[in-house]
Amino acid sequence: MVALNAAFVKCRVLHGNLSDRAIQFQKTVDGIRGVLAELDYASYAGASPDATRAEAPELMLFRSIRSLGRQAVAEGLDVDDREHALAPFNRLDDWESILYIICILGTFGTSQARRNRYPVGASRYPFIKLWSSDNALEAFKIKRIHMNTAVSFYDNIANKMDDGPLRRLAVDMHRILFLHPDCHGTRRDTEHGPLARRDNLEQAIVAALLALMEQYRREARAALSATGSTPARAELSAYPLKSRKRAMLPEAWTARKSSKARGKEPEV
């Protein structure tokens, strides 16, 4: 989230293709750091990215309502709230994708093996199958229904997630993104729908989301400190051995192999 905000503040760049695979972790001499990857579809703020880009069904899970609506319009389909669909992308589209990532992680877990559970999840959790549709218009419609109210979001999404911090975070993010008093919901209610009105509140909504993330970051660090773990150790311990090797920088991994050759396992 820090990298995403910095990319906009320093370079006016939007990611445009966020998914769980775009969020990676890397081991450095200072510990574990988050890495924002897969910037293939990044664009400058105010630009209009290609609406007809090909997406794997799995990645459809994470696309914003505007992104899906724009693709549907490009395919010649009848889309309600074209004003929002055809407006330039902004930071709220990236943050919306982050919300969907949180929903998926809260449903399937954060381990490397979670991808193997997607096919099973499509049958156990209807929203996974619906969000993964290769029909942009259908995915656009169902996400607008799921995001429209607090009740709809909880019944269709949050209620399927494991009880814990990720579910609470998802509910809080949804409230900030979609339930603002001046642009409540996702269904077009006037000439200018709530999502189109929300674009005018981008700065205030992003500020609230950043404050929320900072709150959860402090709570997570406090929980780790209470168990005697540092954030770096806690993150690394969650990876299986092969993933831990991949997460290390080349120089760190070289040092590890040299230590093992001397019969001593370095501390990680």
Side-chain angles (χ1 to χ4, degrees):
M1 316 322 174
V2 171
L4 186 67
N5 188 58
F8 179 83
V9 171
K10 296 181 179 180
C11 307
R12 306 289 293 177
V13 165
L14 304 172
H15 190 285
N17 192 39
L18 278 169
S19 70
D20 56 350
R21 67 177 61 174
I23 301 173
Q24 302 175 8
F25 295 92
Q26 186 178 57
K27 182 154 189 319
T28 71
V29 293
D30 298 319
I32 297 293
R33 68 169 183 167
V35 178
L36 188 63
E38 300 202 353
L39 290 154
D40 309 69
Y41 292 100
S43 62
Y44 287 108
S48 297
D50 181 11
T52 61
R53 67 190 187 195
E55 294 278 14
E58 183 180 315
L59 296 185
M60 293 288 281
L61 282 165
F62 309 105
R63 293 180 66 180
S64 70
I65 293 172
R66 190 198 318 267
S67 173
L68 295 168
R70 185 190 297 270
Q71 179 173 329
V73 170
E75 293 172 355
L77 302 175
D78 185 19
V79 175
D80 185 22
D81 202 359
R82 291 171 64 94
E83 179 185 9
H84 172 255
L86 296 178
F89 283 11
N90 60 39
R91 286 182 288 174
L92 299 179
D93 293 285
D94 280 343
W95 279 98
E96 190 179 326
S97 293
I98 291 174
L99 170 59
Y100 301 146
I101 293 171
I102 297 296
C103 292
I104 297 302
L105 295 182
T107 302
F108 291 98
T110 57
S111 72
Q112 291 289 321
R114 67 181 179 274
R115 292 186 179 279
N116 298 329
R117 297 197 287 272
Y118 278 165
V120 178
S123 59
R124 289 185 57 192
Y125 305 105
F127 82 91
I128 299 293
K129 182 177 181 179
L130 294 168
W131 288 8
S132 301
S133 171
D134 57 2
N135 184 319
L137 182 59
E138 291 304 313
F140 166 83
K141 289 179 178 179
I142 199 64
K143 278 190 174 178
R144 287 213 310 172
I145 292 172
H146 288 169
M147 300 298 137
N148 190 44
T149 67
V151 172
S152 180
F153 179 76
Y154 187 85
D155 287 348
N156 290 287
I157 312 299
N159 194 38
K160 310 298 188 295
M161 299 171 65
D162 293 335
D163 187 19
L166 287 180
R167 181 158 77 176
R168 296 197 304 272
L169 175 59
V171 170
D172 286 340
M173 287 187 68
H174 174 262
R175 171 178 50 80
I176 294 172
L177 273 168
F178 293 102
L179 304 181
H180 191 284
D182 294 332
C183 52
H184 191 284
T186 59
R187 310 299 293 274
R188 184 173 179 178
D189 52 354
T190 62
E191 180 182 355
H192 303 290
L195 293 178
R197 298 198 301 272
R198 187 182 69 169
D199 287 341
N200 297 324
L201 300 167
E202 175 188 0
Q203 185 171 346
I205 292 175
V206 169
L209 288 166
L210 288 170
L212 178 70
M213 288 298 181
E214 176 60 21
Q215 171 193 331
Y216 274 84
R217 186 190 71 85
R218 289 197 303 267
E219 291 178 2
R221 293 183 71 89
L224 289 170
S225 298
T227 62
S229 301
T230 64
R233 289 179 183 273
E235 289 285 1
L236 189 58
S237 65
Y239 283 83
L241 179 58
K242 290 183 179 179
S243 297
R244 288 171 63 179
K245 292 178 181 178
R246 289 197 298 269
M248 292 183 179
L249 289 172
E251 58 268 26
W253 181 235
T254 300
R256 181 187 178 96
K257 289 194 294 185
S258 299
S259 298
K260 290 181 70 175
R262 294 194 300 270
K264 178 182 178 182
E265 176 73 10
E267 183 176 338
V268 294

